[in-house]
Amino acid sequence: MSLVKPTHAGYFFGQSIITLAARLRAGSVTSVELTQAALDSIERLNPVLNAFVHVDAAVALAQARKADALFAQGQDLGPLQGMPIAVKDNIDTFDYITTYGSAHFDRFKPSHDALCVQRVREAGAVIIGKTLTHEFAYGPTGDRSLQGAARNPWDARCITGGSSAGSAAAVASGMVPLALGTDTGGSIRIPAALCGTVGFKPSFASVPLDGVFPLASSLDHVGPIANHVEDARLLFEVLAGRACQPAATPRALRVGWITCASFGPVDAELHQQVYQAAQQLFGEALQETDALQKIAAGMKDTLQTLQRAEAFAVHAERMRDAPHKFDQEVRERLEVSSEVRGWQYIRAQASQAQYKAAMARLFEDYDLLVSPTVPITATQVNARQVRVGEQDIDVRAAVLSHTSAWNLTGLPSISLPVGHVRGMPVGLQVIGAAGADDHLLQVMSQLFVPITGGG
Amino acid sequence: MSLVKPTHAGYFFGQSIITLAARLRAGSVTSVELTQAALDSIERLNPVLNAFVHVDAAVALAQARKADALFAQGQDLGPLQGMPIAVKDNIDTFDYITTYGSAHFDRFKPSHDALCVQRVREAGAVIIGKTLTHEFAYGPTGDRSLQGAARNPWDARCITGGSSAGSAAAVASGMVPLALGTDTGGSIRIPAALCGTVGFKPSFASVPLDGVFPLASSLDHVGPIANHVEDARLLFEVLAGRACQPAATPRALRVGWITCASFGPVDAELHQQVYQAAQQLFGEALQETDALQKIAAGMKDTLQTLQRAEAFAVHAERMRDAPHKFDQEVRERLEVSSEVRGWQYIRAQASQAQYKAAMARLFEDYDLLVSPTVPITATQVNARQVRVGEQDIDVRAAVLSHTSAWNLTGLPSISLPVGHVRGMPVGLQVIGAAGADDHLLQVMSQLFVPITGGG
């Protein structure tokens, strides 16, 4: 596989924040210069990609000057200091309008930062703007929001995936080296895979959700999008408010490749590409497992029941008082969601606990599970059917099919860019045991060298 | 008020287990004799009262002989040793059929004791039989079950209240000195009040529910029914698996009388009787509070939403496969219960947390809250409307009206028999702060001398 660049690439394409942090400390670049490079890249690329929905150069440059002033005083807050970062627009920021992708909040200015934003700020990062979210994060395509559709850097006719649409497009295109996303059924990993970057959904509740607009409270996660696993790991440390624990003495990994049919149909060429990447990464350690085949459908139903009931609980008054302010597709999903019965929700909670227990047992046999992140490449904006093999399948169901089980069970999982199929990026998903975020990130940081990365 | 006895009274009427325990230890009575006295009382009274649904003299006497043998060996397991006790039929017992009051379980024999039964057994009590529960404990009248209606010892045409119908009737009539009940909206306190005995619902989760058939898992409680507060306290210690902590240095109590209109209409004569009893007990410490007036309706709605969804989650398959096996009234309640939406359940969970917080604030100003336990006296079996003042009101809603808030908020509350109105018992409810079970029981044990008690 050759090094390729997306049609639309900015200053930070493929850049590692480790390199950038070293350059900042060596004085060969300033935070103001990096911030200006991000602003220039956004100015050039955003009219096509629609990744950012609010950018304020003055606000960003003021933060950059503050970071540079700290460097000048010899103060070092760690690897994020002076680094431009994008924040998904369903995460509150006191200094940027925060719309949640919805007409209901078209002029909303939060009074406080979300706790995760506060932590990033305290680490010295420069919040350069807010990125497009699928309306209320309720959709995996990233093409329905107050601000329209985000566009894929590798082919602007195509979706980014979502709901962290703009954050993935912003990093994948090199507008910024880092971004925050949220993930309730795959919303970090899906656009990371479809845009060709790294997206990490941590263990449930490892990053606080205060100030993040809820989609479904038992499934919501905040996490990093970056060019490199190590960058994602450094941002995760800041988000989680703790340093990663050193990995235990390494021993032979046991890696389970999830039998592809388990979660639904997979594009054949994509399957081959991702499987080869997994073989290159894990070699002999990789073994097929069909342990999920029997429970995959139940997991999907359970997640859907939880997500629907919890999502409608967030929006009931808006659905009653101003339904016209919702995007039609989101409104229709919410109408269906209102129908879930209380007793079904209670059963789903019980099932969720059982699936978590089943995964704990499965991870006695494996250290990691792997699968394609998304079984198809990015489809055209607004397309809702796609042909996979001989089947016409629903785009939304397909893109969610391999990721949502790890929201239900709360396990850490990361999507890695492992090349291209028919010119579009594809992702390998690697899943760790509950709470084993540090191990997953450290192992994959050592093993994985981005195939498409610059650096 | 004069000492009166119910129409139907057995050996243990008004008896204190402290007196009985002393007699057992003095050798003036044996456990076999007490057990036989209970069996004789049951044989005489149960054909009228229908309090017990399963009694096995051989099983009971074997336990009694074991208790006597321990006494003979000088082994003392505490105040329950050798004491006859009744267990509500929604609590599993390995040696008695356990029907949950339902045709679905008409021949069910559990493989294990419920944990609370196990604890009572380990304390040396003699389990004399199982008492009638309203079908699946889903009703506060005690007149609908596989075994028909339980009957009030003061007037056998009237209900006992429920759902711990048989346990309250068995203690109030003197068939046994102690019984176990369960309480999801008032099911211990209501029949205790209507039958004229002491019923205590502990703090939520202070007594384990393992082996108790669920009605609504976020509202279910197990607790004691007894003739005296001190007896209830001793049984509570066994049920909770811990000794009560000595009360802190006593200071002037602050007692809030809940403005009667807060929870709905109250019979005028009953109000006067219960209020006078509260004044006698607490004197100057008693002050009216209208703090609950604004939130009472919301608390009731919240409890109903939680209870309905959770109850249907227990019975969904039975309602699908064998609806005819339910009592018609219970089936109709379950049909309504199936309609609660998931988002409403989620909202109710959030409201429950808010009401708990509101109660924590209220109990900064009060040590105890008091009210009538039930705003009416026992109605006729199967009656569903009752006249209170100028209003016709629903019997089930009325009997639940003053108790269910303390299931929602999980606070300890006790019903005390405080005399009679038109010949039927009435109860005073005393509510303590969250987790202050020991304080509530110790204070009321000191202050309260049963008005109707023998002993």
Side-chain angles (χ1 to χ4, degrees):
Chain A
M1 282 162 284
S2 59
L3 178 67
V4 287
K5 270 205 181 193
T7 318
H8 304 276
Y11 178 90
F12 294 98
F13 176 75
Q15 293 259 16
S16 150
I17 66 162
I18 294 171
T19 312
L20 294 169
R23 290 181 59 206
L24 279 168
R25 280 153 187 80
S28 67
V29 74
T30 65
S31 175
V32 166
E33 286 166 354
L34 292 182
T35 302
Q36 193 57 56
L39 291 168
D40 292 346
S41 300
I42 293 168
E43 193 178 349
R44 183 163 61 83
L45 301 177
N46 206 53
V48 176
L49 300 182
N50 199 26
F52 280 90
V53 293
H54 325 291
V55 176
D56 188 324
V59 165
L61 287 166
Q63 295 174 62
R65 278 190 294 271
K66 204 171 137 193
D68 284 332
L70 289 176
F71 280 127
Q73 292 161 27
Q75 282 202 52
D76 196 330
L77 302 172
L80 262 52
Q81 184 172 325
M83 210 66 70
I85 186 168
V87 175
K88 186 179 178 183
D89 202 33
N90 64 343
I91 303 176
D92 285 352
T93 44
F94 85 89
D95 50 1
Y96 287 98
I97 280 176
T98 300
T99 69
Y100 312 140
S102 160
H104 290 279
F105 289 92
D106 56 355
R107 279 172 293 208
F108 180 60
K109 198 151 186 185
S111 56
H112 294 88
D113 279 341
L115 185 48
C116 58
V117 168
Q118 190 185 314
R119 288 180 176 177
V120 164
R121 240 190 249 280
E122 285 166 1
V126 174
I127 296 170
I128 201 130
K130 304 300 286 288
T131 55
L132 187 143
T133 173
H134 200 101
E135 184 169 304
F136 288 121
Y138 205 12
T141 46
D143 54 1
R144 297 289 170 98
S145 83
L146 174 64
Q147 298 92 0
R151 303 274 169 173
N152 196 300
W154 297 85
D155 180 346
R157 292 168 303 179
C158 291
I159 60 169
T160 54
S163 62
S164 307
S167 284
V171 173
S173 67
M175 296 181 191
V176 284
L178 290 173
L180 298 192
T182 66
D183 190 317
T184 302
S187 282
I188 287 173
R189 293 157 289 159
I190 291 164
L194 297 186
C195 294
T197 187
V198 172
F200 174 55
K201 181 202 80 64
S203 285
F204 184 68
S206 59
V207 176
L209 291 163
D210 315 58
V212 178
F213 196 85
L215 170 52
S217 57
S218 69
L219 306 165
D220 289 344
H221 299 70
V222 172
I225 296 176
N227 288 315
H228 299 267
V229 178
E230 187 62 12
D231 296 0
R233 194 187 68 74
L234 292 168
L235 176 49
F236 170 67
E237 285 191 325
V238 170
L239 294 174
R242 63 171 185 83
C244 283
Q245 295 300 305
T249 323
R251 59 167 169 72
L253 283 174
R254 301 160 303 168
V255 183
W257 172 268
I258 300 168
T259 309
C260 257
S262 300
F263 289 111
V266 179
D267 177 281
E269 222 177 309
L270 182 147
H271 177 272
Q272 192 184 8
Q273 170 86 1
V274 174
Y275 188 70
Q276 278 177 3
Q279 283 183 313
Q280 279 179 8
L281 279 171
F282 301 114
E284 293 294 307
L286 193 71
Q287 294 200 320
E288 279 214 26
T289 172
D290 58 5
L292 292 154
Q293 209 145 8
K294 279 187 188 159
I295 59 172
M299 291 172 96
K300 199 183 123 198
D301 287 350
T302 301
L303 174 120
Q304 198 167 60
T305 300
L306 295 175
Q307 187 180 51
R308 284 177 171 173
E310 292 174 2
F312 197 86
V314 172
H315 293 291
E317 284 74 14
R318 275 179 290 277
M319 283 292 283
R320 184 192 61 204
D321 299 337
H324 61 281
K325 285 194 177 180
F326 287 92
D327 165 76
Q328 186 190 333
E329 190 175 87
V330 171
R331 185 172 63 245
E332 284 168 6
R333 290 190 76 182
L334 283 168
E335 280 161 2
V336 170
S337 298
S338 73
E339 293 298 317
V340 172
R341 295 301 195 272
W343 69 272
Q344 295 171 320
Y345 180 76
I346 292 164
R347 293 285 182 92
Q349 286 186 311
S351 296
Q352 183 182 31
Q354 284 166 1
Y355 289 125
K356 284 183 182 184
M359 286 308 115
R361 289 191 298 274
L362 184 57
F363 272 90
E364 289 171 8
D365 297 332
Y366 295 99
D367 301 296
L368 303 171
L369 294 177
V370 293
S371 77
T373 307
V374 179
I376 54 173
T377 56
T379 49
Q380 301 244 326
V381 165
N382 287 327
R384 289 297 179 261
Q385 292 285 316
V386 63
R387 194 153 194 88
V388 177
E390 304 296 301
Q391 279 184 275
D392 278 324
I393 59 174
D394 180 74
V395 168
R396 292 183 303 172
V399 295
L400 283 162
S401 59
H402 284 58
T403 49
S404 67
W406 317 115
N407 296 78
L408 180 69
T409 52
L411 302 191
S413 53
I414 192 165
S415 181
L416 307 171
V418 291
H420 295 76
V421 165
R422 299 180 296 273
M424 296 301 286
V426 296
L428 169 72
Q429 181 176 227
V430 188
I431 302 121
D437 302 64
D438 300 5
H439 177 259
L440 172 63
L441 288 165
Q442 286 166 9
V443 167
M444 295 321 301
S445 177
Q446 285 161 23
L447 289 180
F448 179 67
V449 180
I451 296 162
T452 60
Chain B
M1 281 162 283
S2 58
L3 179 68
V4 288
K5 270 205 180 192
T7 319
H8 305 278
Y11 178 88
F12 294 97
F13 175 73
Q15 292 258 18
S16 151
I17 66 161
I18 294 171
T19 312
L20 295 168
R23 291 181 60 205
L24 280 167
R25 280 154 187 80
S28 66
V29 74
T30 65
S31 176
V32 166
E33 286 166 354
L34 292 182
T35 301
Q36 194 56 58
L39 291 167
D40 293 346
S41 301
I42 294 167
E43 193 177 350
R44 183 162 61 83
L45 301 177
N46 206 53
V48 176
L49 299 182
N50 199 25
F52 280 90
V53 294
H54 324 292
V55 176
D56 188 324
V59 165
L61 287 166
Q63 295 173 59
R65 279 191 291 273
K66 204 171 137 193
D68 284 332
L70 289 177
F71 280 127
Q73 292 161 27
Q75 281 201 51
D76 195 331
L77 303 171
L80 262 52
Q81 183 172 326
M83 209 67 68
I85 187 169
V87 176
K88 186 179 179 183
D89 202 32
N90 64 343
I91 303 176
D92 284 354
T93 44
F94 85 89
D95 49 1
Y96 288 99
I97 279 177
T98 300
T99 68
Y100 313 140
S102 160
H104 290 280
F105 290 91
D106 57 353
R107 278 173 293 210
F108 180 60
K109 197 150 185 185
S111 56
H112 292 88
D113 279 341
L115 185 48
C116 57
V117 169
Q118 190 185 315
R119 288 179 177 178
V120 164
R121 242 189 247 280
E122 285 166 2
V126 174
I127 295 170
I128 201 128
K130 305 297 290 286
T131 55
L132 186 143
T133 174
H134 199 102
E135 184 170 304
F136 288 122
Y138 204 14
T141 46
D143 54 1
R144 298 288 172 95
S145 84
L146 173 64
Q147 297 92 358
R151 302 275 169 171
N152 196 302
W154 297 85
D155 181 347
R157 293 167 301 179
C158 291
I159 60 170
T160 54
S163 62
S164 307
S167 283
V171 173
S173 67
M175 296 181 190
V176 284
L178 290 173
L180 299 191
T182 66
D183 191 316
T184 303
S187 282
I188 287 173
R189 292 158 290 158
I190 291 165
L194 296 186
C195 294
T197 188
V198 171
F200 175 53
K201 181 202 81 62
S203 285
F204 184 68
S206 59
V207 176
L209 292 163
D210 314 58
V212 178
F213 196 84
L215 170 52
S217 57
S218 69
L219 306 165
D220 288 345
H221 300 69
V222 172
I225 295 175
N227 288 314
H228 299 267
V229 178
E230 187 62 11
D231 295 0
R233 194 187 69 74
L234 292 168
L235 177 48
F236 170 67
E237 284 190 326
V238 170
L239 294 173
R242 63 171 185 83
C244 284
Q245 295 301 304
T249 322
R251 61 166 167 73
L253 283 175
R254 300 161 303 168
V255 183
W257 171 270
I258 299 167
T259 311
C260 256
S262 300
F263 288 113
V266 179
D267 177 281
E269 225 177 310
L270 182 148
H271 176 271
Q272 194 186 5
Q273 171 88 2
V274 175
Y275 188 70
Q276 277 177 5
Q279 281 183 313
Q280 279 179 9
L281 279 172
F282 301 113
E284 292 294 307
L286 192 70
Q287 293 199 320
E288 279 213 23
T289 172
D290 58 5
L292 291 154
Q293 208 145 10
K294 280 187 187 157
I295 59 173
M299 291 172 96
K300 201 184 121 196
D301 287 350
T302 300
L303 174 120
Q304 198 167 60
T305 300
L306 295 174
Q307 187 179 50
R308 286 177 171 173
E310 292 173 3
F312 196 86
V314 172
H315 293 291
E317 284 74 14
R318 275 180 291 275
M319 283 291 284
R320 185 193 60 204
D321 299 337
H324 61 281
K325 286 194 177 179
F326 287 92
D327 163 76
Q328 185 188 334
E329 190 175 88
V330 171
R331 184 173 64 245
E332 285 168 5
R333 291 190 75 182
L334 283 168
E335 280 161 4
V336 171
S337 298
S338 73
E339 292 297 318
V340 172
R341 296 300 196 271
W343 69 272
Q344 294 171 320
Y345 180 75
I346 292 164
R347 291 287 183 94
Q349 285 186 312
S351 296
Q352 183 181 32
Q354 284 166 2
Y355 289 126
K356 285 183 181 182
M359 287 308 115
R361 287 191 299 273
L362 184 59
F363 272 89
E364 290 172 7
D365 297 333
Y366 295 99
D367 301 296
L368 302 171
L369 294 177
V370 293
S371 77
T373 308
V374 179
I376 55 175
T377 56
T379 49
Q380 301 242 330
V381 165
N382 286 327
R384 290 296 180 260
Q385 291 284 315
V386 62
R387 194 153 193 86
V388 177
E390 303 296 301
Q391 278 183 276
D392 277 327
I393 58 174
D394 180 75
V395 168
R396 292 183 301 172
V399 296
L400 283 162
S401 58
H402 284 59
T403 48
S404 66
W406 317 115
N407 296 79
L408 180 68
T409 52
L411 303 191
S413 53
I414 191 164
S415 182
L416 307 171
V418 291
H420 295 76
V421 165
R422 300 182 295 272
M424 295 301 284
V426 297
L428 170 71
Q429 179 176 227
V430 188
I431 302 122
D437 302 64
D438 301 5
H439 177 260
L440 173 63
L441 289 165
Q442 287 167 8
V443 166
M444 295 320 302
S445 177
Q446 285 161 23
L447 290 181
F448 180 67
V449 180
I451 296 162
T452 61

